[in-house]
Amino acid sequence: MAVASIAILTLLTAAVLFGPLIWRMPINEIDFTARLSPPSWEHPFGTDDLGQDLLARMLYGGRISLAVGFAAMAVAIIVGVLIGAISGISRGSVDAALMWITDLFLALPQLPLLLLVIYLFRDFLKNWVGAEGGVFILIVLVIGAFRWMPVARLVRAQFLSLREKEFVEAARALGATTPRLVIRHILPNSLGPVIVAGTIDVAAAIIAESTLSFLGLGFPPDIPTWGRLLFDAKDYLDIAPHWALFAGAAIFLTVLTINFIGDGLRDALDPRRVM
Amino acid sequence: MSEPLLKVAKLTKEFPLKGGLFGGHTASVHAVDGVDFHVDRGETLGLVGESGCGKSTTGRCVLRLIEPSSGEIHFDGKDVRSLKADDLRILRRDIQIIFQDPYASLNPRMNVGAIVGEALIIHQLTKTKQQFEERVVDLLETVGLRADHMGRYPNEFSGGQRQRIGIARALAVEPKLIICDEPVSALDVSIQAQVINLLEDLQEKFGLAYLFIAHDLAVVEHISKRIAVMYLGRIVEMASAHELYASPRHPYTEALLSAVPIPDPKVKRQRVRLSGEVPNPISPPTGCHFHTRCPIAQFPLCKSEAPPLKQSADGHWVACHFR
Ligand SMILES: Nc1ncnc2c1ncn2[C@@H]1O[C@H](COP(=O)(O)OP(=O)(O)O)[C@@H](O)[C@H]1O
Ligand code: SF4
Ligand SMILES: [Mg+2]
């Protein structure tokens, strides 16, 4: 299952990376004679209400959707590992404060805050790095900022149990400093579950981006992310179902395969198999 | 007489128990309760007692892997308890530890070369990569492993081989004292003897001193010169191995010894069975900790007053009101 998923996901990634080089149809060529046409040889995924080629739009939009997913995962993991590690290795008040912050973030109502933050900062970032880049940074940061807490808790729990392990004690007895203990001994043994959790974050971020685009708060309308395609397609579900179908299927496949890969990784990284 | 290598006096360790509704500590475990002993250069002191009596805690306190609550530890003229972090790291080149669990004591994500050579890097004991590898191979061969084991991971080895890896790791810093915390308890009987023989060979070769911890007397008999018997955080008897076996004084030692099979069927030993469970170390019995299970206890004395560890015959120490 996991192996098949890796194959499918690789294919998807390769398609969005190299597809536009092969399928050279422009994403924004308006052709009113071919409005809402179903899949054909000329337009394999059909066209939208302006006669734009959907395959080209999906390939282009997929780059952004996948990039958002992986970048948000990276942010969530980096923040989560940092907070969890500091919390897990220090005792007392530092640990307590960090866990308090983590709980606070967990308790926040995420979607309303997400909308609020985007609403407040969008224009500022738009002026600063342009519409596309601004929204990208914003979405990645915001999704990352709301997804690091489970990672932090996971890493902290791993640290608490690992630092009592005899091999860590042995390294201390050899004279290892705390940074060395963390980097060489504790962290490498705590990352298995984190990677598994990270795969789920990719899926969650892609869905969150789709949700935002669907609500009209994501990327500008002329950037056809998969979520935006769904959003635009919703008014034509009865006369042009192909429009929503392909974008929906792409999101579904990506999320599903990533989750299967996460499951596979969990089994492969299970320490009981190693030890 | 020259100074002993390690001298421990009135060592105690209490673990606060977190509990209660607000996480304040309500009670504590008296894991080690005023322990005195010494280890001479190149000698082995056996430390024996039932599981949970504080042997591992004692061993770890000597290295300050666990901070003692009170007491004195002197090693090679240094006051171990007052050492700052940097000096403590230097001390750890002289004292090493071998662990009980051959599975938990090796980092599963490091290969054998990295595990055995870690101390060489920490203390910058070798200058070049070539020197490093030569030294690691040398250490592996010293403990009966091969050079080509370097690149392998711990999960590819058996329990006995893993214990050898742990020993090689400890030898890397050329220590003077190794704390052996039940190094063979987790191994098959046939392999136990091999590892003990290896430890004896290494002792002879490098002049090592051992604090050798075990939970039964049979294991320490051959390797130890002197043996200390622990019960609920206190040493109750300490004598040369020969003395202790030939004429145990403390009723607890007698009970432990009677559980050891005697190879010579002509020698009869009276079986002493201990009644009752090991008491809870959170609230140990008053007076002599052993009075709840002692066959010769007399009340109220044993219940009200703790017997001090006194020297009875030359070098034979006992903590009992009546022996
Ligand atoms: N980190 C700890 N926190 C609380 N109690 C501990 C801790 N380590 C050991 N103990 C307790 O201290 C006592 C002695 O433990 P230990 O030294 O491991 O005994 P032994 O090695 O003789 O089996 C036991 O009752 C144990 O439960
Ligand atoms: S002091 Fe009393 S209880 Fe303790 S060992 Fe001696 S006789 Fe037994
Ligand atoms: Mg122990």
Side-chain angles (χ1 to χ4, degrees):
Chain A
M1 209 62 166
V3 177
S5 296
I6 289 176
I8 293 175
L9 191 64
T10 313
L11 214 68
L12 266 171
T13 314
V16 303
L17 281 182
F18 305 116
L21 302 178
I22 299 161
W23 187 252
R24 292 184 159 281
M25 188 77 84
I27 64 164
N28 51 4
E29 191 183 68
I30 296 171
D31 176 6
F32 284 110
T33 62
R35 284 188 69 212
L36 296 173
S37 61
S40 62
W41 282 114
E42 202 183 338
H43 301 291
F45 282 10
T47 59
D48 64 10
D49 58 340
L50 298 177
Q52 302 175 111
D53 180 62
L54 279 175
L55 176 58
R57 290 177 77 77
M58 285 235 357
L59 291 176
Y60 180 81
R63 287 183 175 185
I64 294 176
S65 290
L66 290 182
V68 165
F70 285 102
M73 172 197 74
V75 170
I77 285 191
I78 291 170
V79 175
V81 166
L82 265 178
I83 303 252
I86 295 172
S87 186
I89 202 70
S90 54
R91 292 156 202 257
S93 52
V94 176
D95 179 27
L98 287 176
M99 278 303 109
W100 186 81
I101 293 173
T102 307
D103 288 341
L104 184 78
F105 266 81
L106 276 172
L108 292 175
Q110 303 210 349
L111 195 60
L113 264 173
L114 201 76
L115 300 182
L116 185 71
V117 170
I118 289 179
Y119 181 74
L120 287 177
F121 290 101
R122 189 147 71 150
D123 291 333
F124 166 70
L125 272 168
K126 207 182 263 177
N127 297 334
W128 190 42
V129 280
E132 209 172 310
V135 175
F136 182 81
I137 292 178
L138 201 57
I139 290 184
V140 164
L141 285 186
V142 167
I143 296 174
F146 281 116
R147 302 281 315 173
W148 60 267
M149 297 81 74
V151 175
R153 288 191 150 186
L154 208 60
V155 169
R156 176 176 177 267
Q158 290 276 317
F159 267 55
L160 289 184
S161 89
L162 282 166
R163 74 176 189 198
E164 306 294 334
K165 282 269 157 62
E166 287 185 346
F167 68 80
V168 176
E169 213 168 21
R172 274 213 293 147
L174 290 175
T177 55
T178 306
R180 187 181 177 88
L181 288 181
V182 170
I183 292 164
R184 295 282 293 165
H185 297 274
I186 302 180
L187 199 56
N189 284 289
S190 66
L191 285 186
V194 173
I195 292 169
V196 175
T199 59
I200 295 163
D201 281 344
V202 177
I206 289 176
I207 291 176
E209 188 277 321
S210 303
T211 313
L212 288 176
S213 293
F214 194 80
L215 294 173
L217 278 166
F219 287 89
D222 53 331
I223 296 177
T225 68
W226 292 346
R228 166 61 64 174
L229 286 175
L230 268 185
F231 175 71
D232 291 342
K234 73 176 190 306
D235 295 333
Y236 299 90
L237 281 179
D238 44 353
I239 45 175
H242 65 271
W243 189 355
L245 185 74
F246 289 109
I251 294 174
F252 174 74
L253 255 180
T254 310
V255 171
L256 195 70
T257 52
I258 287 175
N259 280 327
F260 278 138
I261 292 171
D263 277 351
L265 276 177
R266 176 168 47 225
D267 295 343
L269 295 174
D270 189 344
R272 271 165 299 186
R273 268 181 50 145
V274 179
M275 298 210 245
Chain B
M1 281 285 284
S2 63
E3 273 284 290
L5 181 64
L6 172 72
K7 189 158 173 34
V8 173
K10 299 194 184 64
L11 180 72
T12 64
K13 175 64 194 177
E14 295 173 15
F15 291 107
L17 284 182
K18 286 262 167 69
L21 194 52
F22 301 101
H25 67 263
T26 46
S28 54
V29 182
H30 295 254
V32 181
D33 190 5
V35 156
D36 304 272
F37 64 88
H38 73 269
V39 181
D40 286 323
R41 283 166 209 279
E43 101 168 326
T44 302
L45 174 68
L47 186 60
V48 181
E50 282 163 296
S51 180
C53 71
K55 309 179 296 291
S56 298
T57 307
T58 305
R60 281 166 171 74
C61 280
V62 169
L63 256 170
R64 278 186 51 199
L65 288 173
I66 293 177
E67 268 326 308
S69 305
S70 67
E72 284 169 37
I73 304 168
H74 287 273
F75 180 84
D76 214 4
K78 281 182 286 244
D79 180 1
V80 173
R81 288 206 60 202
S82 68
L83 295 179
K84 297 275 181 302
D86 285 340
D87 294 324
L88 192 59
R89 260 199 291 287
I90 294 168
L91 173 85
R92 287 171 179 173
R93 286 183 54 179
D94 286 334
I95 313 179
Q96 274 300 306
I97 179 164
I98 303 169
F99 296 92
Q100 172 172 9
D101 185 342
Y103 293 87
S105 59
L106 304 179
N107 185 342
R109 304 207 185 276
M110 275 165 80
N111 69 27
V112 171
I115 291 173
V116 171
E118 181 159 31
L120 304 177
I121 293 169
I122 291 172
H123 297 289
Q124 294 164 353
L125 299 178
T126 51
K127 304 226 160 34
T128 61
K129 189 159 190 292
Q130 194 197 348
Q131 270 185 10
F132 175 85
E133 284 182 5
E134 279 170 9
R135 177 77 177 122
V136 170
V137 168
D138 181 37
L139 286 164
L140 288 177
E141 283 169 355
T142 306
V143 297
L145 295 168
R146 296 193 314 267
D148 64 288
H149 287 146
M150 246 178 101
R152 303 218 201 141
Y153 284 81
N155 64 323
E156 298 172 53
F157 294 89
S158 67
Q161 286 174 312
R162 283 160 166 258
Q163 231 31 345
R164 286 172 194 264
I165 296 168
I167 294 169
R169 168 176 64 192
L171 290 176
V173 290
E174 301 178 21
K176 295 176 179 144
L177 170 68
I178 299 182
I179 292 156
C180 308
D181 189 357
E182 309 206 28
V184 299
S185 300
L187 304 179
D188 288 347
V189 179
S190 56
I191 296 166
Q192 287 190 353
Q194 293 175 12
V195 172
I196 291 201
N197 285 341
L198 171 67
L199 287 171
E200 281 178 323
D201 292 346
L202 295 173
Q203 179 164 50
E204 199 165 315
K205 195 165 165 194
F206 299 114
L208 296 168
Y210 292 141
L211 177 62
F212 196 100
I213 297 171
H215 63 247
D216 75 76
L217 274 164
V219 173
V220 290
E221 178 172 8
H222 297 289
I223 195 165
S224 307
K225 187 175 146 230
R226 290 181 303 123
I227 295 175
V229 178
M230 246 181 122
Y231 185 77
L232 273 185
R234 292 180 186 162
I235 289 180
V236 295
E237 180 163 9
M238 187 159 54
S240 72
H242 175 75
E243 266 274 319
L244 197 92
Y245 277 83
S247 52
R249 296 269 168 81
H250 197 279
Y252 179 61
T253 314
E254 285 174 353
L256 279 185
L257 269 179
S258 73
V260 176
I262 305 169
D264 185 351
K266 273 173 284 180
V267 181
K268 273 261 155 52
R269 198 182 264 159
Q270 203 188 333
R271 259 199 92 78
V272 186
R273 273 221 186 71
L274 287 180
S275 57
E277 296 282 304
V278 184
N280 185 346
I282 297 169
S283 48
T286 54
C288 175
H289 282 172
F290 192 51
H291 79 245
T292 53
R293 301 164 83 190
C294 180
I296 60 162
Q298 288 184 26
F299 298 102
L301 179 62
C302 293
K303 198 171 176 173
S304 62
E305 230 171 282
L309 186 65
K310 287 182 312 228
Q311 193 165 15
S312 59
D314 185 35
H316 197 140
W317 297 76
V318 191
C320 173
H321 292 305
F322 305 106
R323 295 292 174 88

